[in-house]
Amino acid sequence: MASNRTFTMVKPDAVAAGHTGAIIDQIIKSGFKLVAMKYLFLSPEKAGQFYAVHSERPFYKDLVAFMSSGPIVAAILEKDNAIEDYRKLIGATDPTKAEAGTIRNLFAKSIDANAVHGSDSDENAQIEGSFFFSAFEQF
Ligand code: ATP
Ligand code: MG
């Protein structure tokens, strides 16, 4: 994946609350192009693999349970400066600290049910995107 790409998920809380359409709309209106998108249910095993980088953190078990509690939307996004711009668009991990107008400020309920995921580096965007999508599913 080129460095102008990032990976996102609409997390189970936001999907369940009916915010998928509004979030995808905000992403597109903010200048990101959809390269790939999927609606799916992560098994606890798959969620655990995805967040393996956090396996030593105290919230890991809860995070895995939450991410496998309902369907998610996974997507690869393209834009110049995608990683940084998307982190700016989603806002801080803790929604009470997320800037006004950011996706987490608008749609997240708590630090764990925080509406969306965004990759934190080019390397992780590549790893995370290919966790969900083959080359044939990216346009
Ligand atoms: P994400 O990787 O989902 O985009 P992030 O990069 O803002 O979020 P990370 O530090 O990577 O934050 O944490 C991954 C996820 O783990 C967070 O989105 C959140 O759902 C959960 N998490 C992080 N810190 C805490 C915490 N202190 N308590 C509960 N859950 C947490
Ligand atoms: Mg992260």
Side-chain angles (χ1 to χ4, degrees), residues 8-55:
T8 189
M9 291 184 285
V10 181
K11 295 187 177 182
D13 59 309
V15 172
H19 297 316
T20 303
I23 290 172
I24 301 296
D25 192 47
Q26 187 170 352
I27 290 170
I28 292 170
K29 283 180 174 151
S30 301
F32 293 85
K33 174 183 168 258
L34 287 174
V35 171
M37 186 157 75
K38 242 176 221 185
Y39 183 50
L40 74 162
F41 209 125
L42 284 176
S43 64
E45 192 196 5
K46 281 279 179 202
Q49 280 172 23
F50 183 86
Y51 278 114
V53 59
H54 293 309
S55 61

Side-chain angles (χ1 to χ4, degrees), residues 47-49 51-52 54-65:
Q49 280 172 23
Y51 278 114
H54 293 309
S55 61
E56 301 306 317
R57 311 273 286 272
F59 56 81
Y60 177 69
K61 217 172 133 226
D62 289 344
L63 176 61
V64 169

Side-chain angles (χ1 to χ4, degrees), residues 51 53-54 87 93 104 117-120 124 128:
Y51 278 114
V53 59
H54 293 309
R87 299 288 301 193
T93 309
R104 283 171 169 161
H117 163 81
S119 302
D120 58 15
N124 284 335
E128 293 168 1

